[in-house]
Amino acid sequence: MSDLRIQQPHDDVTLGDWQYVHNMIIPTHLLSLDEVRERAQRHHLEVAYLGDALVGCSTVRPPSDDTRTATVIARVLAPHRGQGIGEELYARGLKRAREWGAKVIETVVLSSNEGGLRFACKHGFVEIERYLLPGDTVLWIDLRLS
């Protein structure tokens, strides 16, 4: 996919693009631009474009010192799924997590995101927990790479 461009968001425009994709995929947990700025300080964020079109984003939460567990999340807007974009975002996130010394890889998916669950299972993740965050009505599913 020669027109796919993936980069770290570096300004309010690209952080806003990351925010847009996140909020479209995770409508139960909308983030403000300030919250995205704060996340960019703690996590490795990337945003993906196909040509000039915004198509996806990713998050890698670094491994914790005690468990060496990192979380890798790839998100692709619905019209762009099934084109290999999620594969690329996931591969890049997995590589970053391993560069940081992760021994265990996890992901998290909303239970309503059937495509995301299929993607995670196809890549070897198995469910470890389901839970509701305060105020949420849709279950979150934590999965671990087996």
Side-chain angles (χ1 to χ4, degrees):
M1 187 169 311
S2 61
D3 286 348
L4 184 63
R5 178 172 43 93
I6 301 173
Q7 66 182 57
Q8 283 188 267
H10 60 277
D11 58 19
D12 281 353
V13 172
T14 52
L15 286 166
D17 287 346
W18 186 97
Q19 174 195 24
Y20 176 81
V21 174
H22 174 278
N23 289 348
M24 289 298 292
I25 307 293
I26 314 291
T28 62
H29 190 73
L30 300 178
L31 296 176
S32 70
L33 190 54
D34 283 340
E35 289 169 315
V36 174
R37 284 188 199 105
E38 190 273 328
R39 279 187 186 209
Q41 300 301 310
R42 294 182 290 124
H43 307 312
H44 180 80
L45 307 182
E46 290 189 328
V47 64
Y49 303 90
L50 190 56
D52 292 330
L54 174 64
V55 295
C57 74
S58 65
T59 301
V60 180
R61 299 176 190 156
S64 60
D65 290 334
D66 55 339
T67 65
R68 304 308 304 157
T69 300
T71 302
V72 176
I73 305 166
R75 301 175 198 89
V76 177
L77 294 171
H80 303 284
R81 292 180 184 156
Q83 301 175 35
I85 297 163
E87 296 285 345
E88 183 65 25
L89 286 168
Y90 170 67
R92 290 170 62 95
L94 188 59
K95 181 180 179 203
R96 170 65 64 168
R98 292 204 166 124
E99 287 171 350
W100 281 342
K103 302 294 182 206
V104 177
I105 305 295
E106 292 183 350
T107 195
V108 59
V109 180
L110 273 179
S111 62
S112 59
N113 183 353
E114 293 175 9
L117 285 172
R118 278 192 305 276
F119 182 92
C121 292
K122 180 180 116 179
H123 288 83
F125 285 86
V126 294
E127 182 177 331
I128 56 173
E129 182 179 11
R130 287 180 181 240
Y131 54 91
L132 278 174
L133 291 176
D136 278 357
T137 58
V138 179
L139 288 168
W140 293 84
I141 303 173
D142 285 347
L143 302 109
R144 182 170 293 146
L145 190 57
S146 58

